[in-house]
Amino acid sequence: MSTTPRNILVTSALPYANAPLHLGHMLEQAQTDIWVRFQRSRGHHCRYVCADDAHGTAIMLSAEAANRTPEEHIAAIQAQHERDSAGFLIQFDQYHSTHSPENQRWSETIFARLEAGGHIAVRDITQAFDPEKGLFLADRFIKGTCPKCKAPDQYGDNCEACGATYSPADLINPVSALSGAEPVDKDSSHLFFQLGHFEALLTEWINSGQLQPPIANKLKEWLEAGLQDWDISRDAPYFGFEIPGYPEKYFYVWLDAPIGYMASHEVLCREQGDDFDAYWLPGGDTELYHFIGKDIVNFHGLFWPAMLDAAGLRQPTAVYAHGFLTVNGVKMSKSRGTFILADTYLEHLDPEYLRYYFAAKLSGGVDDIDLNLDDFVQRVNSDLIGKVVNIASRCAGFLRKKFDNQMSDTCAEPELVQSFIDAGDEIAALYEAREFNRAMREIIALADRANQYIDDKKPWVMAKDESLEAEVQEVCSVGVNLFRALATYLKPVLPAMAEKSETFLQCSLDWTALDAPLVEHELAPFEPLLQRVDADVVTAMVEASKSGA
């Protein structure tokens, strides 16, 4: 199973530093973390960096409402984010913030290279302006009556009542959502990144096979419609980085957000002595992967590759998008209790339940993922408790009572055990391709085979006959070896259960070390590896998540 070690840098999208994490965030972080842990289990040098996305008008306004500075606000939110991610066993190598000196320096450097290359245009635009707050209003900060269905109190870009989309200028009786004042039109100079300069580069990138087909097709639509200049500036007051040479103009949050990947990685390299340039300059053999939601593919699939190219930096090896998370078949809802915050989940349930359920649903595609709570309880209890853990607990009991936790001197079923070891190559290929759902099906199918073996041998019957004691030890030792393979394959998904399994097995569950059965091996006393999911606790979590709870 040996492979040439790869040098891999992985990111997931930066959570916005204005609200706590919910289960949609955890879907992405779990997907990324599982893939990273798998790469490490195969002996690769794989690093996972992320950061809080800490700029923008919304953060400035939220901090003001909370009567604290933006810096205090983002620090408090980041502490929550890091705590909740750790609660879900997400293993970042570095978690940083876009409001950092590293990110400011890289944002200014990349902008200077864009400007020097002739890719920045300056022109006046007319925007809605709140005369009371003294700031320009994004569409979401304007409310009024829908021009189509006449529903009141709708936002400036779409109507939640009838689904119509429109311009804020089309709203009837528009007002600022911030002050209630009537917006006025006001001109301002803005800076634009001329994306059309990179049509050839982006055409090649979109057709390179480095993107999932549905994502490539979506990006082709933008390409075929004609690439528009991208507004990368915002007017003061704004919480962010002021653009050098342009007083009172600030980098738009989406300009410096992806650059935050570089900033976070630079801090990690400085701490660990890694070669930053090897990952960000063209021509090396390192790999760079971005895991994102499908709603931000335009930023990662068009703007980011163009920015990198213009700045003389490398392209991503691939961008991997996933679908949205629904709960019980519909969009997450506070009134139904299905808009579940990460910390609410953690107050009620083991994070490994959800990591496994997500893995059992996630594919390499971009389809939406549904968390069906009844299926969640049934599948975790059936697969993990009833099948995988059951193997270890059944066999460990006999080995403890009759053989002092000692496994047999030889493997009674070398071909069976070898077939489980050989299955690792196919399972590894599925992990690599992010086909986690298929990998889980293969692993559970192996668990079914292991349980069938034990059922066929019936060690509980043999144990009643003293002349069959040696056979009981052999059968249970085979069962433990089969469990060892399963626990190794599940380790990227269930790291805490794997750690408990390693304590029981008295060996590390390294994929690269899974090459022969354990014989003449002493086990530690068996301790429970995972408890059953209690449906009543799931109900309590939903109740706690309802609005006003």
Side-chain angles (χ1 to χ4, degrees):
M1 288 191 184
S2 62
T3 55
T4 303
R6 295 153 57 191
N7 293 306
I8 306 169
L9 177 62
V10 181
T11 75
S12 50
L14 311 187
Y16 197 45
N18 205 32
L21 300 179
H22 54 68
L23 295 194
H25 293 106
M26 300 329 302
L27 171 69
E28 179 172 297
Q29 290 190 7
Q31 181 188 35
T32 314
D33 185 73
I34 289 167
W35 198 76
V36 167
R37 286 178 183 271
F38 161 72
Q39 298 296 351
R40 290 172 180 157
S41 76
R42 300 285 282 177
H44 301 307
H45 181 83
C46 187
R47 294 291 174 261
Y48 178 14
V49 301
C50 196
D52 261 17
D53 180 6
H55 289 154
T57 304
I59 285 173
M60 180 181 72
L61 295 171
S62 293
E64 181 182 301
N67 197 29
R68 56 189 180 188
T69 66
E71 288 83 1
E72 290 169 338
H73 180 69
I74 62 175
I77 296 291
Q78 181 164 342
Q80 291 178 25
H81 287 178
E82 293 196 58
R83 178 199 68 204
D84 292 344
S85 293
F88 275 93
L89 310 176
I90 308 301
Q91 196 173 52
F92 300 116
D93 290 287
Q94 176 65 38
Y95 196 91
H96 203 40
S97 170
T98 59
H99 191 65
S100 64
E102 296 84 7
N103 202 42
Q104 181 167 12
R105 178 168 45 77
W106 272 110
S107 297
E108 292 176 355
T109 298
I110 289 175
F111 173 76
R113 293 177 185 178
L114 300 182
E115 192 171 36
H119 304 305
I120 300 296
V122 181
R123 62 173 181 268
D124 287 349
I125 62 171
T126 302
Q127 292 175 280
F129 184 79
D130 183 329
E132 288 191 18
K133 292 290 288 185
L135 52 77
F136 287 96
L137 296 169
D139 293 353
R140 66 182 179 280
F141 294 133
I142 304 172
K143 301 181 85 170
T145 299
C146 172
K148 303 289 172 61
C149 74
K150 306 302 187 285
D153 205 32
Q154 298 302 311
Y155 286 99
D157 51 1
N158 72 286
C159 176
E160 293 185 351
C162 72
T165 58
Y166 42 72
S167 160
D170 297 330
L171 280 174
I172 300 168
N173 299 323
V175 296
S176 166
L178 305 178
S179 69
E182 182 178 350
V184 298
D185 289 341
K186 186 174 180 180
D187 290 343
S188 176
S189 291
H190 274 235
L191 285 75
F192 291 82
F193 176 42
Q194 296 177 291
L195 193 62
H197 292 185
F198 301 89
E199 183 176 349
L201 169 90
L202 293 173
T203 299
E204 182 179 350
W205 156 252
I206 291 167
N207 292 310
S208 66
Q210 293 162 288
L211 300 161
Q212 298 135 297
I215 299 304
N217 291 337
K218 184 63 182 175
L219 295 175
K220 283 176 187 174
E221 291 178 16
W222 278 309
L223 200 64
E224 290 164 2
L227 295 170
Q228 303 298 307
D229 289 356
W230 178 37
D231 188 346
I232 61 166
S233 64
R234 293 296 183 268
D235 292 282
Y238 190 82
F239 183 59
F241 298 139
E242 192 169 23
I243 303 175
Y246 297 88
E248 299 288 288
K249 303 292 178 185
Y250 289 78
F251 288 126
Y252 173 44
V253 58
W254 264 109
L255 183 285
D256 66 62
I259 297 171
Y261 301 140
M262 300 179 66
S264 185
H265 185 230
E266 183 178 62
V267 173
L268 177 66
C269 289
R270 192 164 62 233
E271 291 175 353
Q272 297 196 348
D274 279 357
D275 184 353
F276 177 83
D277 288 349
Y279 288 86
W280 292 101
L281 294 182
D285 62 355
T286 59
E287 303 169 44
L288 170 63
Y289 299 96
H290 300 304
F291 283 74
I292 61 167
K294 65 182 179 182
D295 55 327
I296 54 174
V297 294
N298 56 333
F299 295 106
H300 289 79
L302 295 176
F303 304 140
W304 181 231
M307 284 168 54
L308 289 167
D309 182 74
L313 299 167
R314 61 91 49 82
Q315 297 295 299
T317 306
V319 174
Y320 295 140
H322 59 81
F324 299 133
L325 178 68
T326 59
V327 180
N328 292 338
V330 294
K331 185 178 177 181
M332 291 190 292
S333 160
K334 290 183 179 178
S335 62
R336 293 190 186 97
T338 56
F339 188 91
I340 302 167
L341 297 180
D343 66 347
T344 305
Y345 178 98
L346 291 169
E347 286 170 7
H348 291 83
L349 293 165
D350 190 314
E352 295 202 299
Y353 299 156
L354 194 63
R355 287 177 66 100
Y356 176 75
Y357 192 77
F358 281 161
K361 290 279 191 136
L362 278 161
S363 72
V366 294
D367 295 332
D368 291 347
I369 308 296
D370 185 49
L371 169 57
N372 180 291
L373 293 172
D374 290 337
D375 180 54
F376 166 76
V377 173
Q378 189 278 329
R379 186 176 299 206
V380 171
N381 286 342
S382 172
D383 289 0
L384 295 185
I385 312 303
K387 296 182 179 179
V388 177
V389 172
N390 186 50
I391 301 164
S393 61
R394 291 168 92 183
C395 296
F398 289 110
L399 292 173
R400 178 181 59 81
K401 289 175 190 173
K402 291 183 170 290
F403 307 101
D404 200 24
N405 292 315
Q406 193 73 26
M407 295 175 67
S408 57
D409 293 347
T410 59
C411 179
E413 299 282 351
E415 291 183 2
L416 176 61
V417 174
Q418 189 60 46
S419 72
F420 273 53
I421 293 172
D422 292 344
D425 288 340
E426 181 180 354
I427 292 168
L430 293 171
Y431 267 117
E432 180 70 43
R434 306 171 326 286
E435 296 286 351
F436 298 164
N437 55 353
R438 292 173 59 196
M440 296 308 104
R441 285 201 296 272
E442 291 294 326
I443 293 167
I444 298 306
L446 290 174
D448 285 336
R449 284 179 59 197
N451 280 297
Q452 188 62 54
Y453 167 76
I454 296 166
D455 288 344
D456 290 345
K457 295 294 183 180
K458 297 180 173 54
W460 54 91
V461 175
M462 289 193 292
K464 296 173 183 176
D465 184 343
E466 288 188 8
S467 69
L468 297 177
E469 272 199 358
E471 290 183 45
V472 172
Q473 185 184 27
E474 288 175 351
V475 168
C476 292
S477 296
V478 169
V480 168
N481 272 305
L482 301 181
F483 170 77
R484 176 196 175 204
L486 298 174
T488 299
Y489 302 148
L490 285 169
K491 186 176 180 178
V493 180
L494 306 171
M497 194 184 97
E499 188 174 342
K500 293 176 184 175
S501 300
E502 288 173 333
T503 299
F504 160 60
L505 293 169
Q506 296 291 288
C507 71
S508 62
L509 295 173
D510 286 329
W511 208 300
T512 51
L514 189 62
D515 53 10
L518 298 173
V519 292
E520 294 186 275
H521 185 79
E522 185 175 348
L523 304 170
F526 181 81
E527 300 287 345
L529 301 176
L530 199 64
Q531 303 296 330
R532 291 178 63 83
V533 185
D534 185 337
D536 290 341
V537 177
V538 175
T539 301
M541 176 186 69
V542 171
E543 288 301 314
S545 300
K546 288 183 177 175
S547 296

